[in-house]
Structures are given as structure tokens and as C-alpha cells.
Amino acid sequence: MAEKTPVFNTPGVVLRTTDVGDRDRMLTVLTPEYGKLSVFARGVRKITSGSLPAAQLFAYADFTLRRGSQHCYLNEAAIRETFLGISGTIEGAALASYLCEAADELSVPDVASPELAQLVLNTLWTVSAGKRPRHIVKGAFEMRVAAIAGYQPDVAGCCVCGNEDCGARGMLDIMNGRLLCEHCYNDLYKEQVSQYIPADTPLTDEYGQTVLFRRVTPGVLRALRYILYTDPKRQFSFTVDGEDAVLFADACETYLLHHIGHGYKTLSFYKSVEGL
Ligand SMILES: [Zn+2]
């Protein structure tokens, strides 16, 4: 007798597909209850396969799976949503590919991850609907997924003086996930910088460790607080414009990539099609 029920049902989102031979496909499916699952979909690419719509990248479906020793096997799948709007623009498709690749990397097999599954689903809905600016969707996803993976920054107030108002030139300490108001930042780092630093300049903190900062204006800070402290269902309902939008995008992307430890080809492609 197997310890786990050999056949089970779960909703899930397809984060990755790899064709195998002429008719089969390997899927990476993110589920709320079982985390990330590798699913071998035998014969799914046959034109007569009823499960084919659910075996596409970004598909959201109800899966009936059978456990094997290495991975799960697809018995059948009923599509709930194909997110057709994602492929309506190359920019949307590129963004969804990058975000799903990051979600794939940050999800864990057989560990329940309802928050991450919900975030991915909300994100795919939003990209598909095309009603929210992509820089908002991208930044909010990057910050939220970092938080869910255990890297939530404390942006409630300055980590030294506690002040919620960080001034026009507050700083996000990327590596330590904390905020410095402009006064405390200047006090701590005045010997290393004759004036406020440009982004990308690594400095040394009070413990001799290298630190990396991104500037956060009041507008950027409002956006970060919204993303991290609001109801996840309203994840993308904020605005950030002009210079703030550039700083916001840079801060969120740098924060996620720093904690993951590498970049993504899908991100480079997204940026190239956006002309960034
Ligand atoms: Zn302070």
C-alpha cells in the first residue's frame, strides 16, 4: 500500500512545459496544496487528447494526477482558464514568462504554497486582462514573491530612528531588507560619500559588510508599502508615475534578483521587447 493516495485532484497553474518525444509533455504545475509538481503528460499532444488545453504554458486547470516514484502522471485535466490575452501582445507574453520562471524557481515540491499560487493566478489574470500597466504588475509581483519566499523587507519606517517619513531621499537597503531615512542614511554613510550616492554603488555598513541601496522617494515608498501590507486580492491597484516609476521598477527588480542570486534570460527578453 502506498502511503499517499495514488490518485488525487488539484487545481494548478502550468509554469513550464517541455515536449518529450512526439506525443508527450512534461509539465511543471504550481498547486495551492501540494506546491510545485512535475507532471508527465503521456500522449497529451495528440490532437484527440482532451487534456491538451490544460497542458499549455499559463493554463489554469483541474488536474487528476497519479503519483509515481519520480513524478506525477496526468490522468486527465479540465481547463478552467487559458489566459488567452497573455499572448495578445509580445510584451505581455514575455512578462508572464519571466514571472512564471521566477515563481517556478521559488516554489518548492510538495510544500503547500497557497499564497504563491494565488499570486501567480492573480498576476496571470491581470496580464491577460491588460488593464494595469506592466511596470506595476512586474514590480508588485517581484516584491510580493520575494516576501513570500522569506525575504520580506521591513518598509514600515527607518530602521535606525523609526521615522515613517523617510524624506525625499530615503534608501532601501537591498541586502538587509530595511529602510533608512535620508538623515540616518547620511549620518551612517557620510564618510563614504561626499554626496548622496548614485544607485549601484556598493558601500560598507556598520559591520564591515558590503551593502547596496536603492533610492526610495515618498511615491516609491507608498507603492512598496501598498504591495507588502495590503490585501493580496488588490495587489495591483496602485499607481506610481514619472521618475518614481523608474526608481520603483529598479528597486523591485534589484531586490528580487539580489535575493535569488542571478538574472533571467526571460527578463532580458522582456526588457528588450519593452525597449528598456
Ligand atoms: Zn532615520
Side-chain angles (χ1 to χ4, degrees), residues 98 138-139 142-143 146 172-175 199-201 211-215 246-263 267 271:
Y98 158 55
K138 175 175 174 288
E142 289 169 327
M143 247 11 216
L172 177 66
D173 177 341
I174 297 289
M175 294 172 180
D200 283 331
T201 308
V211 277
L212 190 62
F213 289 98
R214 285 296 184 270
R215 186 179 149 208
V246 177
L247 294 171
F248 167 78
D250 183 42
C252 295
E253 185 181 303
T254 304
Y255 194 79
L256 178 63
L257 296 188
H258 171 75
H259 288 285
I260 285 182
H262 61 81
L267 172 59
K271 290 169 93 163

Coordinates of all heavy atoms in Angstrom, one line a residue, residues 98 138-139 142-143 146 172-175 199-201 211-215 246-263 267 271:
Y98 N 8.7 35.5 -17.8 CA 9.7 35.8 -16.7 C 9.1 35.6 -15.3 O 9.7 34.9 -14.5 CB 10.1 37.3 -16.9 CG 10.7 37.9 -15.6 CD1 11.8 37.3 -15.0 CD2 10.2 39.1 -15.1 CE1 12.3 37.9 -13.8 CE2 10.7 39.7 -14.0 CZ 11.7 39.1 -13.3 OH 12.3 39.7 -12.2
K138 N 4.7 43.9 -12.8 CA 6.1 43.4 -12.6 C 6.6 43.7 -11.3 O 7.1 42.8 -10.5 CB 7.0 43.9 -13.7 CG 8.4 43.4 -13.6 CD 9.2 43.9 -14.8 CE 10.7 43.6 -14.7 NZ 11.4 44.5 -13.7
G139 N 6.6 44.9 -10.9 CA 7.2 45.3 -9.6 C 6.5 44.7 -8.4 O 7.1 44.3 -7.5
E142 N 7.4 41.1 -8.2 CA 8.7 40.8 -7.7 C 8.8 41.0 -6.2 O 9.5 40.2 -5.5 CB 9.7 41.8 -8.4 CG 9.9 41.4 -9.9 CD 10.6 42.4 -10.7 OE1 10.4 43.7 -10.5 OE2 11.3 42.1 -11.7
M143 N 8.2 42.1 -5.7 CA 8.3 42.4 -4.3 C 7.5 41.3 -3.5 O 8.0 40.8 -2.4 CB 7.7 43.8 -4.0 CG 8.7 44.8 -3.5 SD 10.4 44.5 -3.6 CE 11.0 45.3 -2.2
A146 N 9.2 37.9 -3.5 CA 10.3 37.9 -2.6 C 9.9 37.7 -1.1 O 10.5 37.0 -0.4 CB 11.2 39.1 -2.8
L172 N 16.5 52.2 0.4 CA 16.2 50.8 0.7 C 17.5 50.0 0.7 O 18.2 50.0 -0.3 CB 15.2 50.2 -0.4 CG 14.9 48.7 -0.3 CD1 14.1 48.5 1.0 CD2 14.1 48.3 -1.5
D173 N 17.8 49.4 1.8 CA 19.0 48.5 1.9 C 18.6 47.2 1.3 O 17.9 46.4 1.9 CB 19.4 48.4 3.4 CG 20.5 47.5 3.6 OD1 20.9 46.7 2.8 OD2 21.1 47.6 4.8
I174 N 19.1 46.9 0.1 CA 18.6 45.7 -0.7 C 19.0 44.4 0.0 O 18.2 43.5 0.2 CB 19.3 45.8 -2.1 CG1 18.8 47.0 -2.9 CG2 19.0 44.4 -2.8 CD1 17.4 47.0 -3.3
M175 N 20.2 44.4 0.5 CA 20.7 43.1 1.1 C 20.1 42.8 2.4 O 19.8 41.6 2.7 CB 22.2 43.1 1.2 CG 22.9 43.2 -0.2 SD 24.7 43.5 0.0 CE 25.2 43.6 -1.7
A199 N 22.7 55.2 -7.6 CA 22.4 53.8 -7.4 C 23.5 52.9 -7.9 O 24.3 53.4 -8.7 CB 21.1 53.4 -8.1
D200 N 23.6 51.7 -7.5 CA 24.6 50.8 -7.9 C 26.0 50.9 -7.2 O 26.9 50.1 -7.5 CB 24.9 50.8 -9.5 CG 23.7 50.2 -10.2 OD1 23.1 49.3 -9.6 OD2 23.5 50.6 -11.3
T201 N 26.2 51.9 -6.4 CA 27.5 52.0 -5.7 C 27.4 51.2 -4.4 O 26.7 51.5 -3.5 CB 27.8 53.5 -5.4 OG1 27.6 54.3 -6.5 CG2 29.2 53.6 -4.8
V211 N 27.1 46.7 1.3 CA 25.6 47.0 1.2 C 25.3 47.7 -0.1 O 26.1 48.4 -0.7 CB 25.1 47.8 2.4 CG1 24.8 47.0 3.6 CG2 26.0 49.0 2.7
L212 N 24.1 47.5 -0.6 CA 23.6 48.1 -1.8 C 22.3 48.8 -1.6 O 21.4 48.2 -0.9 CB 23.5 46.9 -2.8 CG 23.2 47.2 -4.3 CD1 24.4 48.0 -4.9 CD2 23.0 45.9 -5.1
F213 N 22.2 50.0 -2.0 CA 21.0 50.8 -1.8 C 20.2 51.1 -3.1 O 20.8 51.2 -4.1 CB 21.3 52.1 -1.1 CG 21.8 51.9 0.3 CD1 23.1 51.9 0.7 CD2 20.9 51.7 1.4 CE1 23.6 51.7 1.9 CE2 21.3 51.5 2.7 CZ 22.7 51.5 3.0
R214 N 19.0 51.3 -2.9 CA 18.1 51.9 -4.0 C 17.4 53.0 -3.3 O 16.8 52.9 -2.2 CB 17.2 50.9 -4.6 CG 17.9 49.9 -5.5 CD 18.4 50.6 -6.7 NE 19.0 49.7 -7.7 CZ 20.3 49.3 -7.7 NH1 21.1 49.7 -6.7 NH2 20.8 48.5 -8.6
R215 N 17.3 54.1 -4.1 CA 16.7 55.3 -3.5 C 15.1 55.1 -3.5 O 14.6 54.6 -4.5 CB 17.0 56.5 -4.4 CG 16.5 57.8 -3.8 CD 16.9 59.0 -4.7 NE 15.9 60.0 -4.7 CZ 15.6 60.8 -5.7 NH1 16.3 60.8 -6.8 NH2 14.7 61.7 -5.5
V246 N 10.4 54.7 -12.5 CA 11.7 54.2 -12.9 C 12.4 53.7 -11.6 O 13.0 52.6 -11.6 CB 12.6 55.3 -13.6 CG1 14.0 54.8 -13.9 CG2 11.9 55.8 -14.8
L247 N 12.4 54.5 -10.6 CA 13.0 54.1 -9.3 C 12.4 52.8 -8.7 O 13.0 51.9 -8.2 CB 13.0 55.2 -8.3 CG 13.8 56.5 -8.6 CD1 13.5 57.6 -7.6 CD2 15.3 56.2 -8.6
F248 N 11.0 52.8 -8.8 CA 10.2 51.7 -8.3 C 10.6 50.4 -9.0 O 10.9 49.3 -8.4 CB 8.8 52.0 -8.5 CG 7.8 50.8 -8.3 CD1 7.5 50.4 -7.0 CD2 7.3 50.2 -9.4 CE1 6.6 49.3 -6.9 CE2 6.4 49.1 -9.3 CZ 6.1 48.6 -8.0
A249 N 10.7 50.5 -10.4 CA 11.0 49.3 -11.2 C 12.4 48.8 -10.9 O 12.6 47.5 -10.7 CB 10.9 49.6 -12.7
D250 N 13.3 49.7 -10.7 CA 14.7 49.3 -10.4 C 14.8 48.7 -9.1 O 15.5 47.6 -8.9 CB 15.6 50.5 -10.6 CG 17.0 50.2 -10.4 OD1 17.5 49.1 -10.9 OD2 17.7 51.0 -9.7
A251 N 14.1 49.3 -8.1 CA 14.2 48.8 -6.7 C 13.6 47.3 -6.6 O 14.2 46.5 -6.0 CB 13.5 49.7 -5.7
C252 N 12.5 47.1 -7.2 CA 11.8 45.8 -7.1 C 12.6 44.7 -7.8 O 12.8 43.6 -7.2 CB 10.4 45.9 -7.7 SG 9.3 47.0 -6.8
E253 N 13.0 45.0 -9.0 CA 13.8 44.0 -9.8 C 15.1 43.7 -9.1 O 15.5 42.5 -8.9 CB 14.1 44.6 -11.2 CG 14.8 43.6 -12.1 CD 15.0 44.2 -13.5 OE1 14.1 44.7 -14.1 OE2 16.2 44.3 -13.9
T254 N 15.8 44.8 -8.6 CA 17.1 44.5 -7.9 C 16.9 43.7 -6.7 O 17.7 42.8 -6.4 CB 17.8 45.9 -7.6 OG1 17.9 46.7 -8.8 CG2 19.1 45.7 -7.0
Y255 N 15.8 44.0 -6.0 CA 15.6 43.3 -4.7 C 15.4 41.8 -4.9 O 16.0 41.0 -4.3 CB 14.3 43.9 -4.0 CG 14.2 43.5 -2.6 CD1 15.0 44.1 -1.6 CD2 13.4 42.4 -2.2 CE1 15.0 43.6 -0.3 CE2 13.4 41.9 -0.9 CZ 14.1 42.6 0.1 OH 14.1 42.1 1.3
L256 N 14.5 41.5 -5.9 CA 14.3 40.1 -6.2 C 15.5 39.4 -6.7 O 15.9 38.3 -6.2 CB 13.1 39.9 -7.2 CG 12.8 38.5 -7.6 CD1 12.3 37.7 -6.4 CD2 11.8 38.4 -8.7
L257 N 16.2 40.0 -7.7 CA 17.3 39.3 -8.3 C 18.4 39.1 -7.3 O 19.2 38.1 -7.3 CB 17.8 40.0 -9.6 CG 16.8 40.1 -10.7 CD1 17.5 40.7 -12.0 CD2 16.2 38.8 -11.1
H258 N 18.6 40.1 -6.5 CA 19.7 40.0 -5.5 C 19.4 38.8 -4.6 O 20.3 38.0 -4.3 CB 19.8 41.3 -4.6 CG 20.7 41.1 -3.5 ND1 22.1 41.0 -3.6 CD2 20.5 40.8 -2.1 CE1 22.7 40.7 -2.4 NE2 21.7 40.6 -1.5
H259 N 18.2 38.6 -4.1 CA 17.9 37.5 -3.2 C 17.9 36.2 -3.9 O 18.1 35.1 -3.3 CB 16.6 37.8 -2.4 CG 16.9 38.9 -1.4 ND1 17.6 38.7 -0.2 CD2 16.6 40.2 -1.4 CE1 17.7 39.9 0.5 NE2 17.1 40.8 -0.3
I260 N 17.5 36.2 -5.2 CA 17.6 34.9 -5.9 C 19.0 34.6 -6.3 O 19.4 33.4 -6.3 CB 16.7 35.0 -7.2 CG1 15.2 34.9 -6.9 CG2 17.1 33.9 -8.2 CD1 14.3 34.9 -8.1
G261 N 19.8 35.6 -6.6 CA 21.2 35.4 -6.8 C 21.6 35.4 -8.3 O 22.8 35.1 -8.6
H262 N 20.7 35.6 -9.2 CA 21.0 35.6 -10.6 C 19.9 36.3 -11.4 O 18.8 36.5 -10.9 CB 21.3 34.2 -11.2 CG 20.1 33.3 -11.0 ND1 19.1 33.3 -11.9 CD2 19.7 32.4 -10.1 CE1 18.1 32.4 -11.6 NE2 18.5 31.9 -10.4
G263 N 20.2 36.5 -12.7 CA 19.2 37.1 -13.6 C 18.5 36.0 -14.4 O 18.6 34.8 -14.1
L267 N 13.8 37.6 -18.5 CA 13.7 39.0 -18.1 C 14.5 39.9 -19.1 O 14.0 41.0 -19.5 CB 14.4 39.2 -16.7 CG 14.5 40.6 -16.2 CD1 13.2 41.4 -16.1 CD2 15.2 40.7 -14.8
K271 N 12.7 42.9 -21.2 CA 13.2 44.3 -21.3 C 13.6 44.7 -22.7 O 13.4 45.9 -23.1 CB 14.4 44.4 -20.3 CG 14.0 44.3 -18.9 CD 15.2 44.2 -17.9 CE 15.6 45.5 -17.4 NZ 16.5 45.3 -16.2

